[in-house]
Amino acid sequence: TEEGEPVGVRINELLFEEITLDDDYRSTKVAGAKAYCMRDIGLSGLVGEIDTPNSKEVEAAQPQDSCLAEGTGTGVGHNVGDFSLKNCLGETVALHDGCGDHQAIWMVTTAGWCTACESWIPQVQSQYEALSERGLELYVLLGSDLNFAAPTQEYCVSYAEQKGLDPAKVLIDDGWQVLFENVDHYDYNFTPINFMLDGQNMAYVWSDAANDGTTTSLNQALQKLLD
């Protein structure tokens, strides 16, 4: 987990099957297609910079000072409109219910199949625990289960327990459709994606997908909002 540390993996008897992938990233096995096996492959390297710059610099809008239920847009600088999702407990959580109660809203996507999330989500939870008293709120958006299917409430509870998350803070969003309708992910097709909003007016400040050219990292976004 430290920059510059060596990291390696050895792969043995890994089976590849041909699939098609639809627009929602759901996979379907191709009938009759050949399968391929990878045996005894070693990969190694060094851990890169953890907090890397985002993928795209965009021109940010000028947000309004207060939360607007309908929002002003979905891109960086806009006030994000209100939307609701169910958490692991079956409760409806509306984004704007906490308007003005927090300095920063951190939303991060995850999925049961996401290997990168295995190390990242615990780091997110640790940061949240350290900074919650300074006004940080966290929502983890669970997009699918281990088999790329829509997560059930039962699976959500299990996932939260495994990752040490508060089940009330884990929201079920199949394929992150609701999130992406309201917060632009700029076609950043990786998971996890981190999004940072200003808790006072729900302005879109930063994400892994895009930045305003000034706030270009997660740590900068946190510092800007919490200080």
Side-chain angles (χ1 to χ4, degrees):
T1 61
E2 297 295 330
E3 183 180 354
E5 284 186 339
V7 61
V9 61
R10 180 160 295 280
I11 301 171
N12 189 42
E13 296 187 10
L14 179 64
L15 183 68
F16 288 88
E17 296 179 329
E18 186 176 350
I19 63 167
T20 58
L21 204 61
D22 65 20
D23 292 338
D24 294 326
Y25 301 101
R26 297 189 182 281
S27 60
T28 303
K29 184 177 177 180
V30 176
K34 291 183 178 180
Y36 300 89
C37 188
M38 180 182 287
R39 290 188 173 92
D40 198 23
I41 301 295
L43 303 171
S44 63
L46 299 177
V47 175
E49 184 181 356
I50 300 299
D51 195 9
T52 55
N54 323 314
S55 61
K56 183 182 295 186
E57 183 178 324
V58 299
E59 183 177 353
Q62 184 62 41
Q64 301 296 311
D65 293 334
S66 59
C67 295
L68 302 174
E70 66 280 9
T72 62
T74 62
V76 172
H78 284 281
N79 301 82
V80 174
D82 196 16
F83 62 88
S84 300
L85 291 166
K86 295 282 189 181
N87 64 18
C88 294
L89 305 177
E91 303 165 337
T92 299
V93 177
L95 179 67
H96 283 209
D97 281 352
C99 181
D101 294 339
H102 307 283
Q103 295 300 112
I105 308 293
W106 186 352
M107 297 186 293
V108 57
T109 63
T110 191
W113 48 261
C114 174
T115 55
C117 302
E118 292 298 307
S119 60
W120 182 240
I121 294 301
Q123 293 182 60
V124 172
Q125 177 63 19
S126 178
Q127 281 273 66
Y128 169 65
E129 291 172 358
L131 299 174
S132 60
E133 291 186 358
R134 292 176 55 188
L136 177 63
E137 178 64 298
L138 171 67
Y139 293 116
V140 176
L141 288 92
L142 183 61
S144 68
D145 63 16
L146 188 61
N147 298 312
F148 295 87
T152 63
Q153 185 178 334
E154 181 181 11
Y155 179 82
C156 185
V157 171
S158 174
Y159 184 89
E161 290 177 351
Q162 291 174 8
K163 300 298 182 289
L165 299 168
D166 180 352
K169 304 295 184 183
V170 182
L171 309 182
I172 300 173
D173 186 8
D174 183 16
W176 310 291
Q177 295 179 58
V178 175
L179 174 65
F180 292 166
E181 285 174 4
N182 291 275
V183 186
D184 198 338
H185 71 300
Y186 295 92
D187 297 320
Y188 186 88
N189 297 320
F190 300 94
T191 304
I193 312 176
N194 299 276
F195 298 87
M196 200 67 65
L197 307 182
D198 186 331
Q200 298 299 299
N201 59 359
M202 297 303 168
Y204 185 175
V205 174
W206 172 92
S207 77
D208 288 312
N211 68 88
D212 61 6
T214 301
T215 303
T216 60
S217 72
L218 173 61
N219 286 338
Q220 286 179 340
L222 281 170
Q223 183 176 353
K224 175 182 178 179
L225 295 172
L226 299 181
D227 290 349

